[in-house]
Amino acid sequence: MRIAVVGAGAIGAYWGAAMHRGGAEVHLIARGDHLRAMREDGVRVISPRGDFVAHPHATDDPDEVGPVDYVFLGLKAHSYPSCESLVKPLLGESTAVVAAQNGIPWWYFHKLPGPYEGRRIEAVDPGGATSAVLPPERAIGCVVYPATVIEAPGVIRHLEGTRFSIGEPSGQISDRCEALSEAMIAGGLKSPVEANLRDDIWIKLMGNVAFNPLSALTRATMVEICQNPYTRQLVARMMEETLDIAARVGSTPEISIEKRLRGAENVGHHKTSMLQDLEAGKQLELDAIVSAVVEMADITGADAPTLRTVHAATDLLSRTCGPDASGPANTPGRQSQTDPG
């Protein structure tokens, strides 16, 4: 099995190192000091499950790699429309694209039976730009539960979780999903193949859609948001509205809001990926995590007043404190690509 990881950052390098350890042929595509360190010393994973070092091929040139069986996207979702030069050389006739993103994927309505089948979500597929680069028929959905950070160039600290749930947009249990799952399990990861992966998407999104923007607006950690009675109530309202939107597009994830809140509180003083991006002066991953949910509220006729209010405030924050804004300087932080599930 030949695999390329495009954007071998915190999650991508961790996943690629695990896959290499399990026997897959892995190619990491990265840049800068991180790439140089991985070339020279491999990927060093520091984990409560046991430290290890893997030495997959690392490059900044996908043409060196050529077509592979699977492309694992470790990029933020807002980078997808502009990633053609990185992805195109890796695509063969049957190459699958595994998008390890937070939030609503661009393929969400692809092969989803019902009134919205085939509908484009502009927030994550503006004018069809993402689908032009990453055709939905290539997509394997992936919900990422581990939390990882880049401790230093080439060094990944794995904080918790090993589950990467995968599934076809059609709900089919396909050969390509089963083969990928077996390779992940061989690398020490959990990888259930889900017929209803969209339910997993909404379960994780319940937390991301609330904690990510609120943490960016307040600079608070997840436990601080949970332990403040006012913001806890705000999160609960946002989760209720999110579940309403999910139901309108046919998903009924089986998890209570209180259980989701307890899980987030147990994570402790964790800065969400959006807060880390804000502090590092990076673009906020707002489109897939919040904007797409609000757009789905528009599509389905849901009121979602709390989601809309928080989205408006966070959208303004992203415009005034983003990488192209002239707002206050931000303090660089450790890189993280996902939030705990």
Side-chain angles (χ1 to χ4, degrees), residues 67-71 87-88 90-99 106-107 110-111 131-141 167-169 176:
V68 296
D69 299 309
Y70 299 90
V71 173
V87 172
K88 189 174 181 180
L90 306 170
L91 299 180
E93 184 177 344
S94 59
T95 303
V97 175
V98 184
W106 82 99
W107 53 261
H110 177 61
K111 294 191 176 180
S131 292
V133 176
L134 307 169
E137 58 268 20
R138 290 190 182 272
I140 291 177
E168 294 282 355
R176 66 180 188 172

Side-chain angles (χ1 to χ4, degrees), residues 3-65:
I3 295 169
V5 178
V6 176
I11 279 294
Y14 169 68
W15 186 86
M19 295 295 282
H20 181 270
R21 184 172 62 164
E25 179 188 331
V26 177
H27 303 268
L28 305 180
I29 298 171
R31 61 186 180 182
D33 292 341
H34 187 51
L35 171 61
R36 285 189 287 274
M38 291 191 295
R39 277 175 165 167
E40 294 173 5
D41 303 315
V43 181
R44 181 185 170 200
V45 176
I46 303 170
S47 171
R49 298 175 60 86
D51 302 348
F52 68 95
V53 179
H55 294 270
H57 173 237
T59 181
D60 59 359
D61 182 6
D63 286 309
E64 279 186 19
V65 179

Side-chain angles (χ1 to χ4, degrees), residues 1 3 15 19 70 72 96-98 140-142 166 174-186 191 193:
M1 180 182 291
I3 295 169
W15 186 86
M19 295 295 282
Y70 299 90
F72 183 92
V97 175
V98 184
I140 291 177
C142 181
I166 61 173
S174 65
D175 291 343
R176 66 180 188 172
C177 278
E178 289 190 324
L180 181 61
S181 174
E182 289 173 6
M184 282 197 266
I185 292 168
S191 180
V193 180

Side-chain angles (χ1 to χ4, degrees), residues 120-319:
R120 186 170 69 235
I121 303 173
E122 289 293 330
V124 289
D125 192 9
T130 304
S131 292
V133 176
L134 307 169
E137 58 268 20
R138 290 190 182 272
I140 291 177
C142 181
V143 180
V144 178
Y145 289 91
T148 58
V149 296
I150 296 180
E151 187 96 327
V155 180
I156 307 299
R157 181 170 292 278
H158 170 229
L159 303 174
E160 65 173 0
T162 61
R163 179 178 169 183
F164 293 78
S165 297
I166 61 173
E168 294 282 355
S170 66
Q172 175 190 7
I173 305 299
S174 65
D175 291 343
R176 66 180 188 172
C177 278
E178 289 190 324
L180 181 61
S181 174
E182 289 173 6
M184 282 197 266
I185 292 168
L189 304 173
K190 294 179 181 178
S191 180
V193 180
E194 303 285 359
N196 297 310
L197 187 71
R198 290 176 180 85
D199 284 356
D200 276 43
I201 289 172
W202 286 106
I203 288 171
K204 184 169 184 186
L205 186 56
M206 282 172 67
N208 284 347
V209 75
F211 288 106
N212 271 277
L214 287 176
S215 68
L217 291 166
T218 63
R219 310 302 200 271
T221 64
M222 293 173 70
V223 69
E224 289 168 340
I225 292 171
C226 285
Q227 291 181 350
N228 180 288
Y230 303 108
T231 50
R232 188 183 185 93
Q233 186 179 43
L234 186 60
V235 168
R237 286 203 299 269
M238 294 176 74
M239 288 183 175
E240 288 173 0
E241 292 172 9
T242 300
L243 287 175
D244 175 50
I245 296 165
R248 290 167 183 256
V249 294
S251 284
T252 54
E254 296 181 1
I255 189 168
S256 70
I257 289 172
E258 187 54 38
K259 182 177 180 179
R260 200 67 183 82
L261 283 164
R262 287 197 305 271
E265 189 171 4
N266 290 338
V267 169
H269 289 282
H270 171 78
K271 291 184 178 181
T272 68
S273 59
M274 194 173 288
L275 176 55
Q276 291 182 55
D277 285 345
L278 180 70
E279 292 180 339
K282 298 179 181 179
Q283 182 176 344
L284 302 188
E285 199 175 9
L286 189 64
D287 292 341
I289 293 176
V290 188
S291 303
V293 181
V294 171
E295 183 176 339
M296 292 173 86
D298 292 336
I299 290 170
T300 60
D303 289 336
T306 315
L307 284 169
R308 294 179 189 277
T309 300
V310 172
H311 173 250
T314 317
D315 180 69
L316 180 58
L317 175 69
S318 71
R319 296 172 190 274

